[in-house]
Amino acid sequence: MNKLNHVFDLFRISTNFWFKKESCSYFPIRLWIEVSSRCNLSCRFCVNKNLSACEKGDMEVSLYKKIIDEVTGKVHDVNLFHRGEPLLNKNIIPMIAYANKKGVKTRIHTNATLMDREIDRKMIMAGLDLISFSFDGFTKEEYEKNRTGAIFEKSLANIIDFLEVKKDLKSKKPYTIIQVIQDGEALFCKETPEHKGVKHKGVEQKSAEQEKAFLENFKGLPLDKIVVRKPHNWGGLLTIDKINNEITEAEKAEEEAEAKPEVETEVKAEVKKEAKAGIKTEIEAEIETKEGTGIKKYACCTFPWYSLTVFYDGRVFLCPQDFEGKIYLGDAGREKIEEIFNGAVIRDMRKRFGYGRIDKIDNIIPCRDCDRIRRKTFMGIPLEYLKIFLRDNLME
């Protein structure tokens, strides 16, 4: 897809979104293709650890090729990840290469724990366009608290190795991002003059010094951006505030236990029990009610107008926040992407979102509990993703 065609498609999608059209005479411009729903970690802000065994698997190459063949020349890019770690699929390299041969841009989001220099070189040579490393913590303590099963030093070394390979190959691609999840309230944007060339977004003020020390690891290496985000709730499956509060209580209990050993077991057991209950399927709606009407309002979701999410087994769902697969749209193994994108279910969802009223989706899970429709937006795009959207779609 050339630049001019892409800009035209963006205009067409924007028009359909603004006027809340129910039928769209175009293909989605972005797909989430879940090459694997398995993961080797058990992370604090991820609900993959709660997936049942029957929901875990890898996408077959034949299914993947069918999807890529259908969207070639129509889709702008594909995210080769969703609920799991993409490098667990043994065919990830040929999958990247196949899409690249077809002119479809590829992106992956990885925890970096399974990487080595051989894999690094193969991914780069296969034509990967963007890689994002999920590295949730600037210090060993914070990282290993958030990323259960990972070792700070090993993951950091793997990322550095990748950047060194990219530098040795003199390759501009893939565009390389380190993404950090932080759950503090004081998030702000600033430039990082000590690391020119690395664009910096939304860093919690209290960790600025830790972040500066962390970035020293990449001095002279082709890291393009570091992004710090607040966690999202996976359509209501994750109760962020409760997790934060309960972890704080757990830490407090440990401190108290040192002074009172006799109550340690009882206190810690109760805190762990409560913390485990922090993962829920419902959350309290943090939205405003339009004064005088009693009707709750929210920002219209953009996903139904531009993307689809394909699980590893070919089932297609409305958006990547639908972690459990509640809003089923079709089967990419038996149906065409174009048909699924304008099927009865997705057209009904566009109609519901078009009203802009919570009473139209209050029986739809995960939409009713999703925090994405409660975040500040500009022209329908969440503000925290606006710069990313502009870079991905207009500035490349």
Side-chain angles (χ1 to χ4, degrees), residues 126-229:
L128 182 65
D129 291 279
L130 182 147
I131 186 169
S132 175
F133 295 108
S134 189
F135 200 95
D136 297 340
F138 293 128
T139 66
K140 178 179 176 66
E141 179 183 10
E142 183 182 11
Y143 173 82
E144 293 183 0
K145 178 178 71 175
N146 291 333
R147 297 254 142 193
T148 305
I151 300 172
F152 178 84
E153 293 84 359
K154 175 61 175 174
S155 300
L156 179 60
N158 287 349
I159 295 174
I160 292 172
D161 284 349
F162 176 86
L163 292 169
E164 288 177 345
V165 171
K166 178 183 173 183
K167 184 177 181 179
D168 291 344
L169 291 174
K170 297 181 173 58
S171 178
K172 292 184 178 181
K173 296 196 312 181
Y175 190 90
T176 306
I177 300 169
I178 294 179
Q179 176 179 295
V180 178
I181 296 291
Q182 287 197 335
D183 52 319
E185 297 179 354
L187 296 178
F188 69 100
C189 299
K190 71 169 190 175
E191 294 298 322
T192 311
E194 297 85 358
H195 299 83
K196 293 181 180 179
V198 177
K199 297 180 180 179
H200 187 108
K201 179 180 179 179
V203 178
E204 190 176 357
Q205 189 170 7
K206 68 180 181 180
S207 66
E209 291 185 3
Q210 294 174 341
E211 183 247 356
K212 180 180 177 181
F214 177 76
L215 281 178
E216 283 294 332
N217 292 291
F218 312 106
K219 194 171 184 178
L221 294 174
L223 173 63
D224 296 294
K225 177 185 272 189
I226 179 167
V227 177
V228 181
R229 291 178 177 160

Side-chain angles (χ1 to χ4, degrees), residues 14-250:
S14 299
T15 301
N16 276 258
F17 173 73
W18 291 329
F19 289 100
K20 304 300 181 286
K21 298 289 187 181
E22 295 172 25
S23 294
C24 301
S25 59
Y26 52 82
F27 273 69
I29 62 167
R30 172 168 292 171
L31 297 181
W32 271 261
I33 301 178
E34 183 180 75
V35 296
S36 180
S37 62
R38 299 182 296 129
C39 191
N40 59 322
L41 301 182
S42 181
C43 299
R44 179 183 170 207
F45 291 114
C46 181
V47 291
N48 177 281
K49 53 186 173 291
N50 301 319
L51 283 180
S52 62
C54 64
E55 280 291 321
K56 295 186 177 182
D58 298 339
M59 180 172 283
E60 297 290 339
V61 173
S62 58
L63 172 59
Y64 175 79
K65 287 184 175 181
K66 176 186 180 297
I67 297 170
I68 295 299
D69 289 346
E70 284 185 26
V71 302
T72 295
K74 301 176 179 69
V75 72
H76 181 243
D77 54 34
V78 292
N79 287 325
L80 301 183
F81 60 90
H82 182 221
R83 299 176 297 174
E85 168 54 47
L87 296 186
L88 283 172
N89 189 318
K90 63 182 181 181
N91 296 307
I92 186 63
I93 303 300
M95 285 175 162
I96 294 170
Y98 187 79
N100 182 61
K101 183 177 70 173
K102 294 282 187 172
V104 176
K105 295 183 178 182
T106 53
R107 302 148 54 106
I108 68 168
H109 187 62
T110 174
N111 60 38
T113 60
L114 303 175
M115 299 180 69
D116 58 40
R117 285 181 173 262
E118 180 181 0
I119 292 174
D120 299 343
R121 181 176 293 274
K122 288 180 178 179
M123 280 198 297
I124 295 172
M125 297 301 291
L128 182 65
D129 291 279
L130 182 147
I131 186 169
S132 175
F133 295 108
S134 189
F135 200 95
D136 297 340
F138 293 128
T139 66
K140 178 179 176 66
E141 179 183 10
E142 183 182 11
Y143 173 82
E144 293 183 0
K145 178 178 71 175
N146 291 333
R147 297 254 142 193
T148 305
I151 300 172
F152 178 84
E153 293 84 359
K154 175 61 175 174
S155 300
L156 179 60
N158 287 349
I159 295 174
I160 292 172
D161 284 349
F162 176 86
L163 292 169
E164 288 177 345
V165 171
K166 178 183 173 183
K167 184 177 181 179
D168 291 344
L169 291 174
K170 297 181 173 58
S171 178
K172 292 184 178 181
K173 296 196 312 181
Y175 190 90
T176 306
I177 300 169
I178 294 179
Q179 176 179 295
V180 178
I181 296 291
Q182 287 197 335
D183 52 319
E185 297 179 354
L187 296 178
F188 69 100
C189 299
K190 71 169 190 175
E191 294 298 322
T192 311
E194 297 85 358
H195 299 83
K196 293 181 180 179
V198 177
K199 297 180 180 179
H200 187 108
K201 179 180 179 179
V203 178
E204 190 176 357
Q205 189 170 7
K206 68 180 181 180
S207 66
E209 291 185 3
Q210 294 174 341
E211 183 247 356
K212 180 180 177 181
F214 177 76
L215 281 178
E216 283 294 332
N217 292 291
F218 312 106
K219 194 171 184 178
L221 294 174
L223 173 63
D224 296 294
K225 177 185 272 189
I226 179 167
V227 177
V228 181
R229 291 178 177 160
K230 59 183 179 181
H232 56 80
N233 71 357
W234 288 110
L237 291 178
L238 195 66
T239 308
I240 307 299
D241 290 340
K242 284 185 176 291
I243 289 177
N244 292 336
N245 292 337
E246 285 154 0
I247 287 175
T248 300
E249 290 299 319

